[in-house]
Amino acid sequence: MIGVARAFGRSRGRWATALASAALIAAAAPAMAQGYDEGVSGDLSNSPTAPTPVTFSTGSNLVIGTTGRLTANDPVDGDYFTITLSAGQVLDSITVLEGTTTIGLAFIGIDSGNQVTVPGPGATGLLGWTHYDTGDIGTDILDDMSVPSMGSSGFGILGEGTYSVWIQEASPGPLDNYRFDFAIREVPEASTWAMMLAGFGLMGLAFRRRRTPALA
């Protein structure tokens, strides 16, 4: 009987471990590289009122392109695109990648909705923005963008909804190359959290019961 009880305890412990592991796997986001490459899919929109719709998925989403103007008399090639986050998704980070080049006044901004609107001076109307340069390569700049600056409202967590992104180099000179990784993370639903907590609880209970005879 003792052997049967021990076998049952081991089986229950394995089941609890498997349950918790399954919940963690379900909550994890796959690291898949997706996004938009101007060299492959064509130039992103130059219009703030008609950004290019870009599909992002959970995981890594690369956005690659060029921006700027050759001379001060040329129109600026600003790039605008929209992304839509589904229920349970959040924008986790925006990382500047190797291959990014800048002249001096390169910036990235984000607005809510399917347009970029800057009705006032500075960055009024934007959720957030920041300058970036080659010194930011390998850095997540999302936190810098979230701080209110020059009229932008600032933001906390960017979850479900549509957002418009604006990337631009304002200084004249050779066109800049930019490479960004927009990382999208899945937030576990309440049912998943409940499953995880139940699994951890069963693991703790099984561990306590295994230790009790030894302590006695």
Side-chain angles (χ1 to χ4, degrees), residues 95-160:
T95 303
V96 184
L97 300 179
E98 192 71 40
T100 296
T101 61
T102 59
I103 299 173
L105 290 177
F107 67 88
I108 179 172
I110 191 165
D111 200 356
S112 59
N114 58 5
Q115 296 183 354
V116 173
T117 55
V118 187
T124 300
L126 295 179
L127 287 176
W129 72 281
T130 189
H131 287 297
Y132 67 90
D133 56 35
T134 54
D136 294 312
I137 290 175
T139 301
D140 173 14
I141 59 174
L142 186 61
D143 285 345
D144 294 336
M145 296 176 66
S146 70
V147 178
S149 175
M150 295 184 64
S152 67
S153 64
F155 57 85
I157 295 175
L158 297 181
E160 180 181 3

Side-chain angles (χ1 to χ4, degrees), residues 12-143:
R12 182 168 54 189
R14 293 193 192 100
W15 180 84
T17 302
L19 179 62
S21 299
L24 289 172
I25 292 171
M32 298 177 62
Q34 301 169 92
Y36 195 95
D37 185 345
E38 285 193 324
V40 176
S41 302
D43 193 28
L44 287 166
S45 173
N46 303 132
S47 171
T49 59
T52 302
V54 175
T55 300
F56 279 6
S57 299
T58 300
S60 180
N61 300 271
L62 305 185
V63 178
I64 303 170
T66 60
T67 178
R69 52 180 171 168
L70 295 177
T71 72
N73 296 323
D74 291 332
V76 178
D77 174 26
D79 288 342
Y80 301 88
F81 63 92
T82 61
I83 61 173
T84 298
L85 303 183
S86 303
Q89 291 183 324
V90 296
L91 179 58
D92 196 46
S93 64
I94 301 176
T95 303
V96 184
L97 300 179
E98 192 71 40
T100 296
T101 61
T102 59
I103 299 173
L105 290 177
F107 67 88
I108 179 172
I110 191 165
D111 200 356
S112 59
N114 58 5
Q115 296 183 354
V116 173
T117 55
V118 187
T124 300
L126 295 179
L127 287 176
W129 72 281
T130 189
H131 287 297
Y132 67 90
D133 56 35
T134 54
D136 294 312
I137 290 175
T139 301
D140 173 14
I141 59 174
L142 186 61
D143 285 345

